[in-house]
Each structure stands twice: as structure tokens, then as C-alpha cells.
Amino acid sequence: MQAVFFHSADFVSFIIFLVSSLVADNHNHEIMNVILLRLSELSSWRHHNQAMRYPKDHKDSSRQRLIELGGSHAKKHGFNESGMASMAAAAGVTTGALYKHFDGKSDLFVALVRAELARTAKMYEAFDPADDVSAAKSLTGYLSISHVRHPEQGCPLPSLTPEIARADETVKAAFQTGLLEIHEKLQRLTATPEDAWTLMAQNVGAVMLARAIPDEKLQREVLSALRNAGQKLLSDNANDAPKSTP
């Protein structure tokens, strides 16, 4: 005899049909009616639950959450040092859930790099080139002990660039695209494109050096020196900006 398999909803419908047949054959109507009522409620609940279990954009929001929390974890602990299991744990999901969104570790790295660099570019885009105070505050915050001590909250460039240099070409391509976008936004705050590259390299290098130095006094010395150099670049941009006529 050939076996017949039912989906759960089909199975419930089949049971309803079977019980209805029994009722029609003059069995105990009261008991059968109760069973029919409960099975109908169960069938309706299952259909409703399947339709309403997740909102339409649930998968996209889950992926975004994985990228955000995974990015923070990678900046603090290193991407290569973090296995997929630890990345999943940082996001509060299982490894299997992580693989539902990403094909593998390289695919996840590409997503993290794109998101982190886009966030940094957006930060620089928000600055008004005419607002010298805002630009100076940004420079001070970047070259701060707090940024040195909390990589998970800061710019991805000091944390992830050395690992990206050893990654595959897909990751490097994503990095280059994001880096050029940051340069474009940063260029609004400097006199020339060359100054934008200089400011970026100075800031990233200073944070990387400070994180490798155990002596806090020396850390502060390095950061202070690069803040002064950065202020000069920003000041040169302010001096070169066209003056408005009264």
C-alpha cells in the first residue's frame, strides 16, 4: 500500500473530514461536535500563525542586525580571530541562522566592510565644511583615548585594514569602494584631495600606533601630535576657502 503524506494543515483538514463522517454515521454527536470545534480552531490558528509569524521585512532587519553586531565584534576582537560561531553568538543567533544570510565567512566580511565604511562616510558627510568647530570636534574625538580603548564603537579603518590587506579580492574591492567614498566626503573638509588622503592616513595611523602602545602617556603624546597636524590641514582649508563679500 502506498503511503500518503500530509502537510500539517492538510492533516488537520483530513481529521475534520473524518470526524464529520463519523458524525454523519450517528455516533456520539456531542463529543464529535466538540472535537470538530477544537480542530477548526487549531486549523485557523495555524493558518494565522504561518501568515503573521514574521513581518515582510523580517529577513532584511535580521541581516542588518547581524552586520551591525558582527561589525562591532570584529572591530574589537579581530575578524579572522572570530569564528562564525563567535560572530553568531555576538549577534545572539545560532551559527545556522548566520549561514541563512551569508554564504560563508568571506561573504560576511564583505558585508561588514561595506556597512562599516558606509557608516564612516555618512558621518563625514554630515559635517558642514564651513563649520570649523564641528570639524575640529570630530578630529579630537577620533584622536582620543576613548577611541583607542573602544574599537568596537569607532572607525573600522584602524581595526580592520590590516586584516583586509590579507583578505581575498572581493573583500579588497569592497574596501576600496568604501574608502573612496570616505575620501570623497572628507575632501569637503580639506583644501585638496591630497590633504584628504593625508588627514585620513594620519588619523588611522595614529590610532593604530596608540593601540599598540602600552604606555598611556606615550599614547596621548602620539594622539596630540597628530591632532595638531590635522588641525593645520583643516586650518589651511579654512584659509583657502573663498571669502564671502559683504
Side-chain angles (χ1 to χ4, degrees):
M1 182 176 66
Q2 184 178 5
V4 178
F5 296 95
F6 295 94
H7 292 293
S8 57
D10 294 335
F11 179 73
V12 171
S13 299
F14 173 74
I15 294 297
I16 293 174
F17 169 77
L18 183 61
V19 174
S20 298
S21 299
L22 291 173
V23 172
D25 287 340
N26 296 319
H27 284 73
N28 191 315
H29 287 267
E30 183 177 352
I31 295 176
M32 294 304 176
N33 285 334
V34 171
I35 294 174
L36 280 171
L37 177 62
R38 293 294 176 260
L39 286 172
S40 296
E41 290 174 351
L42 174 62
S43 180
S44 298
W45 177 84
R46 288 187 64 85
H47 284 298
H48 175 77
N49 191 49
Q50 288 170 352
M52 301 298 292
R53 184 176 297 173
Y54 297 116
K56 190 174 181 180
D57 61 348
H58 173 77
K59 186 174 182 180
D60 290 339
S61 62
S62 295
R63 177 184 169 90
Q64 185 60 35
R65 181 172 179 272
L66 287 170
I67 290 172
E68 290 176 0
L69 296 177
S72 296
H73 184 84
K75 287 186 294 184
K76 183 175 182 178
H77 301 285
F79 184 82
N80 290 328
E81 293 297 321
S82 302
M84 292 294 273
S86 62
M87 298 289 284
V93 300
T94 63
T95 305
L98 197 62
Y99 278 109
K100 288 181 181 178
H101 297 277
F102 307 100
D103 293 336
K105 197 168 184 180
S106 179
D107 188 33
L108 174 59
F109 201 11
V110 168
L112 296 184
V113 168
R114 285 174 177 164
E116 287 288 336
L117 295 183
R119 184 176 62 83
T120 300
K122 188 175 181 179
M123 178 190 71
Y124 285 120
E125 185 179 26
F127 291 126
D128 181 359
D131 186 357
D132 298 340
V133 175
S134 179
K137 284 183 178 179
S138 173
L139 181 66
T140 300
Y142 196 101
L143 298 173
S144 66
I145 286 293
S146 177
H147 191 196
V148 169
R149 291 176 178 171
H150 298 285
E152 72 278 8
Q153 300 174 7
C155 176
L157 293 176
S159 302
L160 300 180
T161 298
E163 295 189 83
I164 294 170
R166 298 187 292 272
D168 61 38
E169 293 304 313
T170 306
V171 176
K172 289 180 179 179
F175 175 76
Q176 178 173 306
T177 299
L179 189 70
L180 288 172
E181 186 179 1
I182 292 173
H183 176 260
E184 177 187 348
K185 307 305 181 187
L186 191 58
Q187 187 179 324
R188 298 165 57 247
L189 306 177
T190 60
T192 66
E194 291 79 9
D195 285 349
W197 285 123
T198 300
L199 184 61
M200 189 189 306
Q202 285 181 174
N203 290 352
V204 172
V207 174
M208 290 177 68
L209 286 174
R211 286 177 180 167
I213 296 172
D215 183 358
E216 183 177 327
K217 181 179 178 180
L218 185 55
Q219 285 178 334
R220 292 183 181 277
E221 184 178 331
V222 170
L223 296 173
S224 177
L226 272 297
R227 275 198 301 270
N228 292 335
Q231 289 285 7
K232 186 176 186 307
L233 285 175
L234 294 176
S235 176
D236 289 344
N237 176 52
N239 292 333
D240 291 342
K243 302 295 189 296
S244 59
T245 55

